[in-house]
């Protein structure tokens, strides 16, 4: 069991309390579980990267034990002082050893990854939402605090070098040229984007900044800086730059949507300062790509929510399924009684239909909640699509919906889980049927294509229905989001999970009043 004190100093007295205080039962549980959790954390960190594999087990065990105790104290007290002390200690230790920012961030995040299933398994004795809220708070605080310290060291180095250049300009032009070459090397070698902005145009940019925006050096320098900012965030960035130039307080980290040369977007954090190199004020900024972090946090929140839903669903499924089955069977038996009037039999039929719908909702909840495992084999996507279309043909004909098939004959067998992919295609076809009016059309297409990961194939469903607004389009894969009167909002969530489990993705095109197109883009193994 760990002791209640840490070797790197006690927390400061009367510090602010920005963290949620964890329930006492959860703190006692963490104290009791230390000998179980710490070794697992040590083992996973030891295999995290070449840098960690090169460290001794004793050192990693020492730092993990200290981190565990700091987290415990912070959640117990609702104060950040224990975390601040540990982050200062680990920043110095890891930067001196040449660790990258992402390596240490992943090591911090493993604490949350390890605790999540263990906490959800203790719902009889713990409040999982309160416990996970406290865990998320300490992990996020450590990651952000470590990132800030890492950033500050970069900024300090750049500021020192900028001051050095300013003095050298006044002394010797020959030495200035040498210093400029050193400065360029320094800027080009840092992993974060470096940019100098004068009169709102890019005066200097390093390789990392150009790569973040999918542009060459010549496509970047002398261009308006706001061309690299998404339209909805340009006013915000311009306002902060003007405040910085006016001599206001140091600009805090500003997060905005960047815009690449080909329209690609990403999340960027910039820290900007003003310097004067003899030719007027220049804003220098360090840009960090936060796209993966934001996506990771989104997926973590979604996973935690689905895990909690899954736990509740699994607990209730047995209690719900048996009563629903009994109700359905008895309603079906009653509906066959000849002495009942026709109107009563119709009412019983409607009740059976609604019970069946409830059973379907329960199945969908279980599908989303349980881990998705694939049974891969070599199957022909064209045959799979044709089989699904044959099932829908009577219903399509009944509503006068025209069906178009454009199946690529060169596609051939692909590695896929036939049952899961059929489930995804059925969901897309049902959505298309709901979207189109009687007499509309649905087009199912297969074709060869490429993706950023390499050769791919595509299975798409297009309709000429009502289409979707941009606001709805941004939320369609969010669990439980739906505009249907009787929808669960889980169909497209399952489609996305199935595509990603295959290593693929889902692309959506939709125009209000003109229809929508959903495309499964799957890797092609040559």
């Amino acid at each position: 069991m760990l002791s209640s004190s840490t070797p790197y100093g006690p927390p400061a007295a009367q510090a602010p309390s920005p963290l949620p205080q964890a329930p006492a039962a959860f703190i006692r549980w963490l104290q009791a579980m230390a000998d179980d959790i710490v070794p697992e954390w040590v083992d996973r960190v030891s295999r995290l990267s070449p840098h960690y594999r090169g460290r001794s087990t004793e050192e990693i065990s020492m730092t993990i034990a200290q981190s565990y105790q700091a987290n415990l104290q912070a959640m117990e007290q609702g104060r950040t002082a224990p975390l601040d002390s540990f982050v200062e200690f680990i920043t110095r230790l890891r930067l001196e050893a040449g660790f990258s920012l992402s390596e240490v961030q992943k090591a911090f995040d493993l604490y949350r990854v390890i605790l999540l299933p263990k906490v959800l398994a203790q719902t009889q004795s713990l409040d999982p939402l309160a416990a996970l809220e406290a865990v998320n708070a300490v992990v996020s605080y450590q990651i952000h605090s470590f990132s800030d310290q890492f950033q500050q060291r970069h900024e300090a180095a750049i500021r020192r070098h900028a001051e050095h250049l300013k003095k050298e300009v006044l002394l010797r032009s020959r030495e200035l040229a040498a210093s400029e070459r050193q400065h360029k090397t320094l800027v080009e070698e840092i992993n974060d984007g470096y940019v100098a902005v004068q009169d709102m145009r890019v005066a200097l940019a390093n390789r990392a900044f150009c790569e973040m925006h999918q542009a060459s050096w010549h496509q970047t320098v002398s261009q308006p800086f706001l061309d690299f900012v998404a339209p909805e965030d340009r006013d915000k960035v311009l306002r902060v730059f003007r405040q910085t130039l006016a001599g206001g307080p140091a600009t805090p980290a500003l997060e905005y949507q960047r815009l690449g040369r080909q329209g690609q977007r990403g999340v960027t954090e910039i820290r900007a300062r003003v310097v004067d190199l003899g030719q007027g004020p220049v804003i220098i900024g360090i840009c960090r790509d936060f796209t993966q972090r934001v996506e990771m946090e989104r997926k973590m929140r979604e996973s935690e929510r689905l895990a909690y839903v899954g736990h509740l669903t699994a607990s209730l499924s047995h209690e719900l399924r048996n009563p629903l089955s009994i109700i359905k069977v008895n309603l079906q038996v009653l509906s066959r009684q000849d002495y009942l009037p026709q109107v009563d039999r119709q009412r019983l039929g409607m009740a059976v239909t609604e019970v069946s719908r409830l059973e379907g909702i329960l199945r969908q909840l279980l599908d989303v909640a349980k881990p998705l495992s694939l049974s891969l084999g070599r199957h022909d996507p064209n045959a799979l699509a044709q089989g699904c279309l044959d099932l829908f043909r009577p219903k399509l004909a009944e509503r006068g919906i025209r069906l178009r098939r454009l199946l690529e004959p060169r596609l051939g067998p692909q590695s896929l889980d036939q049952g899961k992919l059929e489930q995804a295609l059925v969901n897309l076809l049902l959505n298309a049927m709901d979207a189109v009016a009687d007499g509309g059309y649905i087009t199912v297409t297969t074709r060869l294509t490429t993706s950023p990961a390499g050769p791919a194939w595509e299975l798409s469903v297009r309709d000429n229905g009502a289409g979707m607004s941009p606001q709805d389009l941004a939320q369609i894969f969010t669990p439980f989001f739906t505009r249907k009167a009787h929808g669960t909002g889980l169909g497209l969530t399952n489609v996305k999970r199935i595509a990603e489990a295959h290593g693929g993705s889902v692309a959506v095109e939709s125009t209000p009043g003109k229809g929508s197109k959903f495309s499964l883009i799957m890797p092609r193994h040559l």
Side-chain angles (χ1 to χ4, degrees):
M1 187 67 66
L2 296 177
S3 66
S4 60
S5 62
T6 55
Y8 40 81
Q14 296 181 347
S17 303
L19 297 176
Q21 195 166 3
F26 180 54
I27 296 298
R28 292 193 297 272
W29 180 83
L30 283 175
Q31 292 170 337
M33 289 293 292
D35 291 337
D36 177 47
I37 296 171
V38 170
E40 181 179 352
W41 195 1
V42 170
D43 177 66
R44 295 179 71 165
V45 168
S46 300
R47 296 182 281 108
L48 193 59
S49 70
H51 272 122
Y52 278 110
R53 288 195 289 271
R55 312 303 287 185
S56 68
T57 302
E58 291 77 11
E59 182 208 277
I60 294 178
S61 298
M62 180 268 292
T63 57
I64 292 300
Q66 292 180 9
S67 182
Y68 190 88
Q69 188 60 44
N71 292 347
L72 186 63
Q73 286 187 353
M75 288 188 285
E76 182 179 13
Q77 302 167 5
R79 298 166 60 239
T80 62
L83 304 179
D84 295 332
S85 300
F86 179 74
V87 168
E88 176 65 24
F89 160 74
I90 202 67
T91 299
R92 184 170 57 256
L93 182 66
R94 291 299 178 236
L95 288 183
E96 288 174 358
F99 280 62
S100 70
L101 176 65
S102 63
E103 285 178 295
V104 184
Q105 288 176 329
K106 291 175 182 177
F108 278 129
D109 200 55
L110 279 175
Y111 178 71
R112 173 164 49 192
V113 173
I114 293 170
L115 278 184
L116 175 61
K118 297 181 184 295
V119 171
L120 291 177
Q122 298 294 321
T123 55
Q124 296 296 325
S125 57
L126 298 177
D127 179 355
L129 293 180
L132 291 176
E133 180 185 8
V135 170
N136 283 336
V138 297
V139 172
S140 297
Y141 182 86
Q142 286 176 311
I143 289 176
H144 294 165
S145 180
F146 177 79
S147 301
D148 288 341
Q149 292 200 29
F150 189 90
Q151 175 71 27
Q152 289 167 8
R153 289 172 182 252
H154 276 304
E155 289 181 350
I158 292 172
R159 287 197 301 272
R160 288 194 299 270
H161 196 69
E163 287 297 320
H164 173 70
L165 287 178
K166 182 179 179 180
K167 294 177 182 178
E168 291 295 319
V169 166
L170 302 175
L171 296 176
R172 292 174 294 271
S173 59
R174 181 177 297 179
E175 293 181 6
L176 174 61
S179 295
E180 286 176 344
R181 287 194 295 270
Q182 293 173 3
H183 176 246
K184 182 178 179 180
T185 300
L186 173 65
V187 171
E188 287 298 325
E189 288 301 319
I190 64 175
N191 292 326
D192 290 330
Y194 176 88
V195 64
V197 180
Q198 189 168 33
D199 297 330
M200 292 309 297
R201 288 185 176 270
V202 177
L204 177 67
N206 71 343
R207 170 187 50 81
F209 183 88
C210 296
E211 290 177 352
M212 286 172 62
H213 298 83
Q214 299 88 36
S216 67
W217 189 85
H218 295 288
Q219 292 173 319
T220 305
V221 175
S222 299
Q223 299 302 310
F225 180 80
L226 293 181
D227 284 358
F228 300 100
V229 179
E232 62 269 23
D233 284 344
R234 287 174 182 169
D235 288 342
K236 176 174 65 175
V237 173
L238 182 60
R239 182 173 61 255
V240 170
F241 274 24
R242 285 174 174 170
Q243 290 174 353
T244 304
L245 287 170
T251 305
L254 173 66
E255 196 171 287
Y256 67 92
Q257 285 276 339
R258 70 175 180 271
L259 190 63
R261 293 285 296 185
Q262 306 302 320
Q264 304 93 329
R265 289 175 173 243
V267 181
T268 300
E269 180 194 77
I270 186 171
R271 291 180 180 269
R273 296 185 183 276
V274 175
V275 299
D276 190 342
L277 302 180
Q279 297 179 342
V282 176
I283 296 177
I284 59 171
I286 298 293
C287 299
R288 182 177 298 162
D289 185 356
F290 270 15
T291 306
Q292 291 184 348
R293 192 205 74 180
V294 171
E295 180 64 16
M296 180 180 69
E297 291 178 348
R298 184 193 66 79
K299 288 184 177 180
M300 182 64 68
R301 290 192 299 270
E302 182 175 311
S303 297
E304 289 171 354
R305 181 167 61 166
L306 289 178
Y308 188 65
V309 170
H311 178 76
L312 293 178
T313 303
S315 301
L316 294 174
S317 62
H318 179 73
E319 300 297 329
L320 292 176
R321 275 181 166 175
N322 286 345
L324 285 176
S325 298
I326 293 171
I327 292 171
K328 184 177 180 179
V329 168
N330 281 282
L331 288 173
Q332 289 173 332
V333 170
L334 285 173
S335 67
R336 298 190 189 101
Q337 301 304 311
D338 294 336
Y339 63 82
L340 287 176
Q342 179 64 26
V343 65
D344 288 340
R345 284 199 293 270
Q346 289 176 347
R347 289 170 179 165
L348 288 171
M350 293 169 60
V352 170
T353 300
E354 289 303 303
V355 170
S356 298
R357 189 172 70 84
L358 290 175
E359 289 177 331
I361 292 173
L362 186 59
R363 283 195 300 272
Q364 287 187 343
L365 281 169
L366 289 171
D367 285 343
V368 171
K370 66 185 179 184
L372 188 63
S373 59
L374 299 181
S375 177
L376 296 176
R378 300 289 292 181
H379 302 284
D380 184 358
N382 287 341
L384 182 150
Q386 187 60 59
C388 290
L389 293 176
D390 288 343
L391 291 175
F392 280 83
R393 193 179 304 281
K395 187 66 174 178
L396 294 171
E398 179 183 330
R399 292 183 51 193
I401 297 175
R402 292 166 291 169
L403 178 64
R404 302 173 180 175
R405 291 170 297 170
L406 301 174
L407 306 182
E408 171 57 65
R410 298 173 298 163
L411 186 54
Q414 301 294 325
S415 178
L416 54 90
D417 183 320
Q418 182 170 344
K420 294 291 191 301
L421 207 61
E422 285 177 346
Q423 180 184 349
L425 180 55
V426 166
N427 273 324
L428 294 180
L429 287 170
L430 287 172
N431 284 349
M433 288 178 61
D434 288 341
V436 299
D438 292 354
Y441 71 81
I442 296 173
T443 303
V444 176
T445 303
T446 61
R447 68 184 185 98
L448 300 173
T449 185
T450 58
S451 71
W457 60 275
E458 178 182 314
L459 172 60
S460 66
V461 177
R462 180 192 292 274
D463 65 70
N464 68 336
M468 292 175 284
S469 68
Q471 293 78 14
D472 286 354
L473 199 60
Q475 301 183 72
I476 55 173
F477 295 113
T478 302
F480 309 109
F481 173 80
T482 182
R483 294 295 188 195
K484 298 179 183 178
H486 298 290
T488 63
L490 295 174
L492 288 177
T493 301
N494 268 325
V495 170
K496 186 172 184 285
R497 291 177 72 229
I498 291 169
E500 291 178 348
H502 282 83
S505 61
V506 184
V508 187
E509 302 172 20
S510 186
T511 303
K514 295 185 178 180
S516 304
K517 176 185 176 183
F518 286 81
S519 301
L520 300 176
I521 302 173
M522 314 292 278
R524 177 161 49 102
H525 304 287
L526 302 177

